[in-house]
């Protein structure tokens, strides 16, 4: 039995630039009516092209460190969840450490697409079990706008850019404990949500024209079905193995991909609508940043109180999925 990681601080960040459905419908053949009816999304935030996610991650990280009330130099480990790294090399976790003025720390990128934060929580448990003196900064940031094909209306309307962060230690008086985390995957379904170009399985050389394979391609309907099924299952599984029922959960924060997916998962699990947190309407799908940003914004809105039990559930490319329980 490992000691549950203690949550000390959280942070979040979204860029200032808003891209609403009206503006999108001037870029690609779509409409506010189609997007809001099928996804619930009204607008999303877009990072200035070419900026790189580490600049968003740094703001979210600084907010989390400040919230934790610890000196930045006490961070010993940085986990950076992203599927849109600033570069193939160096790892963006190293870039982030430098931006935070830290050197000599453990840094690792975690690429599990939208599930990156929940996988990061699982890794945080392991790190703190192995090194109880560690202070882990878990950051999740994605610049989905950099890998969206703005000519593909079936995907470009869905995504946005953001970062979220959290600081964990193995003990001490924090804001809550990470009771449990559970993750899973199925690589056979990977082609249904795919960004091929830029990876070593695609041959390219200087001067090649960048084709659609460099951008997100998705079989939306199939992804939708699996997302609902997997998020429901991993939510039930984690509650069951912790001896909890739906009635014990005070707030459910699912991955923010599509309002219809969120509503379907919430209702299959039996949550009343007021216990299900949604910010997808104004953030879109921000991939790995989705859950930590949602938690941060829920807290900013005064929805997180001591004593609450919070359930997270995610789903993303891979396919990967997972759930986590936070006891505040
Ligand atoms: O982070 C996890 C990964 N992502 C997800 O979880 C997303 C999962 N999938 C979805 O959310 C939904 O499948 C979408 C929102 C992507 C699509 O909704 P849908 O109800 O499954 O629509 P569809 O793809 O079946 O398309 C229906 C119609 C098609 O036209 P026809 O063939 O019926 O004439 C599309 O061409 O809607 C058309 N369409 C659009 N029309 C206007 C697709 N995208 C658009 C658009 N604007 N943006």
């Amino acid at each position: 039995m490992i000691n549950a990681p203690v949550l000390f601080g959280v942070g979040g960040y979204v860029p200032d630039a808003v891209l609403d459905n009206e503006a999108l419908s001037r870029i690609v053949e779509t409409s506010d009516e189609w997007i809001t009816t099928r996804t619930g999304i009204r607008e999303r935030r877009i990072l200035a092209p070419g900026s790189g996610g580490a600049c968003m991650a740094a703001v979210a990280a600084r907010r989390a460190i400040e919230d934790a009330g610890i000196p930045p130099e006490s961070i010993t480990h940085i986990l950076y969840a992203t599927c849109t790294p600033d570069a193939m090399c160096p790892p963006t976790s190293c870039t982030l450490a430098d931006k935070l003025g830290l050197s000599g720390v453990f840094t690792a990128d975690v690429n599990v697409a939208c599930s990156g934060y929940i996988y990061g929580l699982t890794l945080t448990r392991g790190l703190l079990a192995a090194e109880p003196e560690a202070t882990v900064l878990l950051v999740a940031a994605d610049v989905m706008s950099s890998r969206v094909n703005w000519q593909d209306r079936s995907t470009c309307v869905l995504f946005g850019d953001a970062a979220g962060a959290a600081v964990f230690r193995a003990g001490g008086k924090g804001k809550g404990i990470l009771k449990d985390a559970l993750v899973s995957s199925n690589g056979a379904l990977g082609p249904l949500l795919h960004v091929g170009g830029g990876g070593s399985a695609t041959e390219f050389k200087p001067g090649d024209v960048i084709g659609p394979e460099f951008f997100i391609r998705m079989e939306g309907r199939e992804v939708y079905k699996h997302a609902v099924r997997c998020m429901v299952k991993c939510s039930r599984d984690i509650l069951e193995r912790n001896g909890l029922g739906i009635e014990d959960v005070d707030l459910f924060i699912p991955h923010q991909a599509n309002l219809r997916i969120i509503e379907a998962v919430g209702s299959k699990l039996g949550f009343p609508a007021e216990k299900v947190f949604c910010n997808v309407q104004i953030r879109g799908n921000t991939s790995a940043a989705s859950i930590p940003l949602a938690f941060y914004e829920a807290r900013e809105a005064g929805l997180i109180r001591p004593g609450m039990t919070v359930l997270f559930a995610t789903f993303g490319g891979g396919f990967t999925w997972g759930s986590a329980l936070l006891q505040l």
Side-chain angles (χ1 to χ4, degrees):
M1 183 69 186
I2 59 169
N3 280 337
V6 178
L7 174 70
F8 273 78
V10 292
Y13 174 77
V14 290
D16 290 337
V18 176
L19 179 64
D20 66 17
N21 292 348
E22 287 303 334
L24 246 184
S25 61
R26 291 192 289 273
I27 300 172
V28 72
E29 196 185 334
T30 188
S31 64
D32 177 54
E33 203 266 335
W34 192 97
I35 303 169
T36 46
T37 313
R38 302 283 178 135
T39 73
I41 300 166
R42 298 193 305 270
E43 61 184 48
R44 68 289 290 143
R45 298 298 181 99
I46 304 292
L47 187 67
S51 306
C55 64
M56 296 195 297
V59 182
R62 282 193 200 101
R63 287 178 178 164
I65 292 167
E66 193 185 330
D67 186 41
I70 58 166
E73 313 77 68
S74 61
I75 302 290
T76 57
H77 292 66
I78 297 178
L79 292 172
Y80 190 115
T82 190
C83 62
T84 53
D86 284 19
M88 291 287 279
C89 188
T92 314
S93 48
C94 277
T95 310
L96 173 64
D98 185 50
K99 280 188 190 297
L100 296 174
L102 302 173
S103 67
V105 295
F106 168 110
T107 53
D109 286 22
V110 182
N111 180 356
V112 209
C114 301
S115 305
Y117 186 74
I118 303 299
Y119 269 73
L121 291 176
T122 307
L123 293 167
T124 299
R125 297 178 87 210
L127 281 172
L128 289 173
E131 296 185 46
E133 299 307 315
T135 298
V136 179
L137 171 65
L138 169 60
V139 186
D142 265 312
V143 190
M144 299 309 285
S145 63
S146 68
R147 297 318 292 269
V148 148
N149 177 354
W150 293 102
Q151 292 163 0
D152 175 7
R153 66 180 184 171
S154 69
T155 53
C156 74
V157 302
L158 303 173
F159 296 98
D161 304 333
V167 173
F168 287 96
R169 281 181 167 168
K173 199 170 154 28
K175 296 181 168 69
I177 60 163
L178 175 62
K179 251 175 106 69
D180 198 6
L182 175 165
V183 295
S184 192
S185 70
N186 182 353
L189 299 170
L192 297 175
L193 176 45
H194 199 246
V195 189
S200 58
T202 310
E203 188 189 356
F204 58 99
K205 55 186 184 316
D208 281 354
V209 172
I210 292 178
E213 71 279 6
F214 270 76
F215 302 94
I216 297 167
R217 286 197 282 199
M218 180 170 71
E219 298 293 330
R221 291 239 153 157
E222 279 306 304
V223 176
Y224 187 108
K225 281 189 271 178
H226 286 281
V228 173
R229 203 177 300 140
C230 293
M231 283 201 280
V232 168
K233 174 148 181 13
C234 66
S235 298
R236 286 192 179 130
D237 287 349
I238 200 167
L239 289 174
E240 194 186 325
R241 79 181 191 185
N242 284 275
L244 298 174
I246 290 295
E247 64 287 355
D248 298 311
V249 176
D250 300 293
L251 191 66
F252 178 45
I253 304 187
H255 175 50
Q256 307 285 309
N258 178 329
L259 192 57
R260 282 160 58 218
I261 295 178
I262 295 170
E263 287 171 352
V265 172
S267 92
K268 277 180 196 293
L269 287 170
F271 280 118
E274 64 274 14
K275 281 195 176 182
V276 182
F277 183 80
C278 299
N279 64 358
V280 68
Q281 300 93 330
I282 53 167
R283 303 294 180 226
N285 181 350
T286 59
S287 186
S290 173
I291 286 181
L293 179 74
F295 183 75
Y296 175 74
E297 294 194 335
R299 205 187 63 166
E300 294 288 288
L303 299 174
I304 306 291
R305 291 177 294 278
M308 286 177 88
T309 299
V310 180
L311 171 67
F312 298 138
T314 191
F315 179 85
F319 290 161
T320 55
W321 60 95
S323 52
L325 274 172
L326 201 59
Q327 182 65 61
L328 296 158

